[in-house]
Amino acid sequence: MFDYAMKSKPGDRPYNEDRMQMCDLGGEQLFALADGLGGMKNGELASSIAIRSVIGRFRWDRAPGFLEHAMETAQNAVFYGQEKYPGASGMSTTLALLHLRGKTVRWAHIGDTRIYMFRKNKLLYQTEDHSVPQMLVKQGEITAAQIRHHPDRNRLIRTLGQQWSGQGYAVSRPVEIEAGDAFLLCSDGFWEEIEEQEMARRLRRSGNVARWLEQMTEIAEENGRTVNMDNYSAICVRILTN
């Protein structure tokens, strides 16, 4: 048993290029969130294509290796869209996937849409961005905390719609879930405005995922008042029993 909540808003932008969807097929669930890039609504097109392609794949292919297959399917779909739609040659998108199957969970991502896992109301794991600032963290030039305000924080080195050298996306091993485990998928417009310690603090104080998401959104919106706030989207999932 699980509970979830989702929210997506345009922020201060004229339109929302984020897309997200949840698909429940009984014993398995897929949560997907994409943040499109390209401007002039091409980002919206790229993220929509990516979400539709992975949900479509999920409906008929849930064999081991599904996440890898879904990422490759989404990449091919965005490439096809670049060729099919006028002016869309430069579009691309991030993508984050969370796959619940029985008592295990796996996730995959590309770009800077993040996945967080909390256990016992503490941060257990977070994905690493495919971005210039994340690369600088690995090189020891900045700290992870400095990514949020780095001038190059929006420069991505890998997305769907770009040619990859090798496997462009990251995918996790299966993880055994426990009752109380919580997951947050969110675009950069969301996580840039709320720190991980506050995510965990709000999780401890909330009685359900809807309230957790509501409290985090309030903080993100308050912190975003002084900036031209980006589109922001989040999916919260909590395991009730395992």
Side-chain angles (χ1 to χ4, degrees):
M1 294 287 292
F2 66 96
D3 194 11
Y4 75 98
M6 306 193 301
K7 184 183 294 288
S8 184
K9 291 189 176 182
D12 295 320
R13 306 300 168 86
Y15 47 84
N16 192 349
E17 295 183 303
D18 292 356
R19 290 293 181 271
M20 59 185 180
Q21 191 169 340
M22 179 270 196
C23 184
D24 187 350
L25 297 179
E28 298 184 37
Q29 297 79 33
L30 180 68
F31 300 86
L33 196 159
D35 178 359
L37 310 166
M40 296 299 291
K41 296 194 176 180
N42 287 333
E44 175 184 341
L45 177 61
S47 58
S48 297
I49 288 173
I51 294 295
R52 287 199 306 266
S53 67
V54 298
I55 294 297
R57 179 105 196 193
F58 182 61
R59 293 187 186 279
W60 63 268
D61 172 19
R62 296 181 300 283
F66 159 73
L67 287 180
E68 291 86 346
H69 299 159
M71 280 291 189
E72 297 291 343
T73 296
Q75 172 76 321
N76 291 334
V78 173
F79 278 149
Y80 177 75
Q82 290 175 346
E83 297 177 356
K84 179 180 179 181
Y85 298 102
S89 60
M91 72 176 182
S92 64
T93 183
T94 71
L95 182 63
L97 303 174
L98 184 77
H99 181 203
L100 294 175
R101 178 185 298 198
K103 295 184 178 181
T104 64
V105 62
R106 290 183 78 206
W107 54 81
H109 86 288
I110 187 167
D112 63 353
T113 294
R114 292 184 177 180
I115 303 171
Y116 295 92
M117 179 178 182
F118 299 84
R119 176 163 288 171
K120 295 180 171 48
N121 297 326
K122 296 180 180 179
L123 180 62
L124 182 67
Y125 175 86
Q126 76 177 69
T127 52
E128 293 185 349
D129 306 331
H130 299 127
S131 67
V132 169
Q134 187 73 67
M135 187 169 56
L136 295 177
V137 171
K138 291 183 177 181
Q139 295 171 349
E141 297 185 26
I142 65 172
T143 66
Q146 292 175 302
I147 290 178
R148 278 183 172 82
H149 306 292
H150 195 276
D152 291 328
R153 63 185 178 277
N154 295 320
R155 288 183 59 193
L156 303 184
I157 58 177
R158 278 183 280 169
T159 61
L160 297 178
Q162 296 176 335
Q163 291 288 350
W164 306 332
S165 176
Q167 180 176 291
Y169 54 86
V171 62
S172 77
R173 61 178 176 80
V175 176
E176 292 286 333
I177 55 177
E178 299 179 3
D181 284 353
F183 301 89
L184 169 65
L185 291 73
C186 54
S187 60
D188 63 327
F190 191 87
W191 62 255
E192 282 181 358
E193 306 303 337
I194 178 169
E195 296 185 354
E196 287 74 24
Q197 299 93 324
E198 198 62 48
M199 295 175 186
R201 185 177 298 114
R202 297 299 165 174
L203 177 60
R204 289 192 294 271
R205 295 179 179 179
S206 58
N208 55 62
V209 290
R211 182 57 181 154
W212 182 34
L213 179 54
E214 180 183 350
Q215 290 184 3
M216 289 191 293
T217 301
E218 290 173 355
I219 294 170
E221 290 177 342
E222 179 62 30
N223 292 338
R225 291 186 188 281
T226 59
V227 300
N228 181 24
M229 196 171 184
D230 195 1
N231 308 154
Y232 57 101
S233 303
I235 303 174
C236 294
V237 184
R238 187 148 200 184
I239 307 301
L240 303 179
T241 59
N242 60 342

